[in-house]
Amino acid sequence: MNYEKLQFNLNAYKETGEILDAARFLIHQFDLDDENFLGFGFREELEKNSILLTANGEIGDMQKVLIPRNLFDFDLTLVLNLLAHEMLHVRQKSPKMMIMDKNEREWQAYYEMLFHTNFPQIPELSDYYKNFFGEKALIYYGRMDEGTELQLKYSEQKLEVERLLQDIKNKTI
């Protein structure tokens, strides 16, 4: 993927205010689209340096991903990982998957941001973001009822996340 050309195209969309089109462009360029995806819409921006995307819709229904208008003011690698996170939620809420437990959905989506098992074409995050999203993943793992089948299902992945976080920590010592 030629990131200079990609950024050039995104800047053109941004200059003309076509933020939703830019997001659609990215999900097509990175093969993130899904038959359960209804489209993009806007959500309120948080703060200038905070970003939040959400997949909205009932489980089993089509999903709309809401993005802030300032989405492309952020690092492209971060944006791509956040889009992959939400597009995984689109799949998880589809009639094919219907993952009912929010903690499981979030665990899977944060794990995806760290290891790219569903979307290997998405670029790797910096250690800063890996640490941030790894910690978030562990929070959702911890919210699963302790010792349940659900936690056991992801126990090996939890160890992978913990090893990744330890490796990052060891780099900074």
Side-chain angles (χ1 to χ4, degrees):
M1 178 67 52
N2 181 337
Y3 282 93
E4 283 182 26
K5 185 176 180 182
L6 190 68
Q7 192 63 59
F8 175 83
N9 287 328
L10 290 174
N11 289 341
Y13 280 117
K14 190 175 163 184
E15 284 176 26
T16 58
E18 298 173 275
I19 304 305
L20 299 177
D21 291 330
R24 279 191 289 277
F25 168 75
L26 279 183
I27 66 164
H28 292 298
Q29 288 294 310
F30 285 87
D31 197 26
L32 298 173
D33 211 348
D34 188 272
E35 62 189 28
N36 200 49
F37 179 56
L38 186 60
F40 287 105
F42 287 120
R43 65 168 299 113
E44 290 299 313
E45 295 173 8
L46 295 177
E47 300 168 13
K48 193 168 179 64
N49 61 353
S50 293
I51 185 171
L52 178 65
L53 288 70
T54 55
N56 291 32
E58 296 298 318
I59 294 176
D61 291 342
M62 298 284 286
Q63 301 295 306
K64 186 172 201 171
V65 174
L66 300 182
I67 62 174
R69 292 181 194 281
N70 69 344
L71 178 66
F72 297 106
D73 292 347
F74 294 89
D75 174 71
L76 181 57
T77 297
L78 175 62
V79 168
L80 286 167
N81 275 272
L82 292 170
L83 285 171
H85 178 112
E86 295 309 321
M87 293 308 291
L88 186 57
H89 286 329
V90 168
R91 286 184 183 181
Q92 292 167 328
K93 293 179 173 184
S94 73
K96 289 180 185 175
M97 291 184 80
M98 292 189 53
I99 296 176
M100 304 304 284
D101 187 281
K102 178 183 178 181
N103 297 316
E104 182 176 16
R105 289 193 309 269
E106 291 297 339
W107 167 261
Q108 287 182 358
Y110 283 116
Y111 183 86
E112 176 63 27
M113 294 175 82
L114 301 171
F115 298 104
H116 303 109
T117 57
N118 291 283
F119 304 121
Q121 68 278 22
I122 297 299
E124 194 172 318
L125 289 162
S126 68
D127 283 349
Y128 172 83
Y129 285 120
K130 284 181 190 176
N131 188 68
F132 180 81
F133 294 122
E135 293 292 340
K136 298 273 282 188
L138 292 175
I139 289 169
Y140 283 101
Y141 182 87
R143 289 180 182 168
M144 297 176 196
D145 291 333
E146 189 150 342
T148 61
E149 275 187 46
L150 196 53
Q151 262 198 348
L152 293 174
K153 178 179 177 180
Y154 296 108
S155 61
E156 287 298 314
Q157 287 184 349
K158 178 184 180 255
L159 292 174
E160 285 180 74
V161 171
E162 289 172 334
R163 279 192 295 270
L164 175 67
L165 294 177
Q166 187 59 52
D167 289 348
I168 292 168
K169 185 178 179 182
N170 290 345
K171 285 183 192 177
T172 61
I173 294 176

